[in-house]
Amino acid sequence: MISLIDRYLLKEVLKAMFAILLVLSLILLSNNFIKLLQEVASGDLSGDILLQALFLQMVVLLGRLIPPTFFFAVLFVIGRMYRDSEIVALESCGVGGVRVYRSLGLVLLPVAVLTGAMTLYATPWAGRLIEQIWSNQGGQAMELAGVSAGRFNEYSQGDLVLFVESIAKDERRMKNVFIQQRNNGVLSLITAQRGYQRVDQEYGGLFLVLEEGLRYEGSPGQANYRVSRFDRYGLRIKTTSSGETKMTRRALSSAALMNSPILRDRVEFQLRLSNIFALVVFALLSLPLSRTLPRQGAFGRLVLAFVLYTVYLSLQGVAENWMLKGVTPEWAGIWWVHVLLAVVALGLLLPDTQPFRRARRQLRMRWA
């Protein structure tokens, strides 16, 4: 049965976790949004799927953000309870550290389920969709994205210069188009009354289709100078990909990684599982690290928590490299990092246990 203390800790930790996760998500969201806008401006990504790509990238990032967010949320809540003497009041009522860990376990369970769903299922699903988007953009992205009417726009390092008098609201129909193109040292000038972009699946390429215009090719004054009039002319802008999507490791399902004969795939599977085990380790570390005095600063041990989390990430990277190089056996994998931190957490909790306090009192009485 969930008690009043359980409900109180559940409410406070989830509220702090949501606030921290919201701030971190907004920071990462803005960074990814700027990067995707640069891709759209360069023509590598269509503006129509900008929000979809942004959402999928955030799904991938959320699975990695939940463990540290949970860690610092618990530190904040338990640390505040220490500073407000709420923990002292609970201990005077017989509610010790073990009872607080039980309440944290009620918070940990739904967070662990959410983390497992995000890292084992949602992340590879989003990764597959991201790979498909970038594969499709190889042939469907607007190479001439970011065209500004009334000015000269350069592409392909100056080999293609485009001038458009006006662009329709759908950003696809152009009016009074001027193009200068240099192909294999041959200069050509094209003028047309209208133009639009189209992906041709038959010939495999992105074309700028021009209507009712003239094409000048060669150098003026030479015999090979040619002038031709056309009703419709297709200018290849980009060659499309074959349509095959090459899945990276992050897009593979967790079952495929676990059963793969490739060691690097199995390492990736362990990295996904490590997000769940990290929650348990951080829950053990949160109580001793959040222990503060009533008059101690609000961020008394947050610096130590940041250092410890940085050490955890570094050790995880070391464990990954050691497993790939065969320094550690595969059965040890990267689990030894979590075991090491769990031992550290138990060592930090040892001074608060009753046998340790009893032994310390006996030593004081003996040496008094």
Side-chain angles (χ1 to χ4, degrees):
M1 182 177 179
I2 300 179
S3 64
L4 180 63
I5 299 174
D6 297 333
R7 290 197 297 268
Y8 176 73
L9 282 176
L10 182 66
K11 174 185 174 182
E12 293 298 319
V13 172
L14 290 181
K15 185 168 63 175
M17 182 177 172
F18 176 77
I20 297 173
L21 189 62
L22 180 62
V23 172
L24 293 178
S25 299
L26 288 177
I27 294 174
L28 295 177
L29 188 68
S30 60
N31 291 335
N32 286 325
F33 185 66
I34 293 174
K35 293 180 181 178
L36 290 176
L37 283 179
Q38 293 175 350
E39 299 291 343
V40 172
S42 63
D44 294 328
L45 182 68
S46 174
D48 298 335
I49 58 174
L50 174 62
L51 294 180
Q52 180 184 356
L54 185 64
F55 169 76
L56 293 174
Q57 288 192 0
M58 286 308 302
V59 170
V60 174
L61 291 174
L62 278 178
R64 304 173 186 174
L65 285 178
I66 292 178
T69 301
F70 173 79
F71 180 40
F72 290 109
V74 173
L75 284 177
F76 175 79
V77 172
I78 302 298
R80 181 186 58 78
M81 293 178 67
Y82 268 107
R83 291 189 300 274
D84 295 343
S85 300
E86 294 181 13
I87 295 294
V88 177
L90 290 175
E91 289 178 349
S92 64
C93 298
V95 181
V98 177
R99 183 63 179 80
V100 175
Y101 271 125
R102 174 195 160 184
S103 301
L104 289 180
L106 295 176
V107 185
L108 177 64
L109 182 60
V111 175
V113 172
L114 176 62
T115 303
M118 292 295 296
T119 57
L120 297 180
Y121 300 101
T123 296
W125 167 78
R128 286 192 294 271
L129 291 182
I130 290 174
E131 298 295 339
Q132 292 175 3
I133 286 175
W134 287 112
S135 177
N136 293 335
Q137 291 306 294
Q140 297 179 3
M142 305 299 284
E143 174 71 10
L144 301 181
V147 174
S148 300
R151 61 183 294 267
F152 289 93
N153 304 268
E154 291 189 7
Y155 300 92
S156 302
Q157 298 180 350
D159 289 338
L160 179 65
V161 179
L162 173 66
F163 179 88
V164 180
E165 180 180 333
S166 61
I167 303 177
K169 293 183 179 181
D170 58 3
E171 298 184 356
R172 296 182 181 274
R173 304 292 300 187
M174 308 174 186
K175 183 179 179 182
N176 291 337
V177 182
F178 169 83
I179 295 176
Q180 174 184 290
Q181 184 184 32
R182 190 180 302 275
N183 189 10
N184 296 326
V186 179
L187 182 66
S188 61
L189 301 176
I190 303 174
T191 61
Q193 295 186 14
R194 293 174 301 276
Y196 60 91
Q197 297 181 79
R198 182 173 66 88
V199 177
D200 194 310
Q201 301 293 343
E202 179 180 357
Y203 294 98
L206 177 65
F207 288 82
L208 176 60
V209 181
L210 304 173
E211 298 177 342
E212 298 184 17
L214 295 172
R215 182 171 184 265
Y216 308 87
E217 185 178 18
S219 300
Q222 296 184 0
N224 60 351
Y225 190 79
R226 294 184 299 175
V227 180
S228 56
R229 184 183 300 273
F230 58 85
D231 293 328
R232 176 177 293 181
Y233 178 80
L235 179 65
R236 186 190 294 270
I237 303 299
K238 177 187 289 187
T239 303
T240 60
S241 60
S242 59
E244 298 180 358
T245 303
K246 183 180 180 180
M247 292 296 176
T248 59
R249 192 165 283 108
R250 71 173 182 178
L252 296 177
S253 65
S254 299
L257 293 176
M258 181 179 61
N259 299 320
S260 174
I262 303 175
L263 179 61
R264 188 67 185 87
D265 292 343
R266 297 195 296 273
V267 173
E268 176 67 23
F269 176 71
Q270 291 195 18
L271 288 174
R272 293 182 183 180
L273 283 181
S274 66
N275 291 321
I276 305 175
F277 288 101
L279 287 171
V280 180
V281 175
F282 291 154
L284 292 174
L285 286 169
S286 59
L287 197 58
L289 287 178
S290 58
R291 190 184 302 113
T292 56
L293 298 176
R295 294 186 178 182
Q296 192 172 350
F299 304 99
R301 297 207 174 184
L302 281 182
V303 176
L304 179 59
F306 274 111
V307 172
L308 192 60
Y309 185 73
T310 303
V311 171
Y312 164 75
L313 293 179
S314 301
L315 288 177
Q316 194 175 43
V318 171
E320 180 183 354
N321 291 330
W322 282 1
M323 183 176 175
L324 289 173
K325 295 179 181 179
V327 177
T328 55
E330 187 174 348
W331 61 265
I334 60 177
W335 314 125
W336 62 268
V337 177
H338 303 88
V339 174
L340 178 62
L341 289 182
V343 171
V344 172
L346 294 177
L348 293 175
L349 286 172
L350 186 62
D352 290 336
T353 58
Q354 290 296 333
F356 187 89
R357 291 179 177 178
R358 190 179 304 112
R360 185 170 55 186
R361 284 197 300 266
Q362 292 177 356
L363 287 177
R364 287 179 179 177
M365 294 175 60
R366 181 177 301 178
W367 293 98

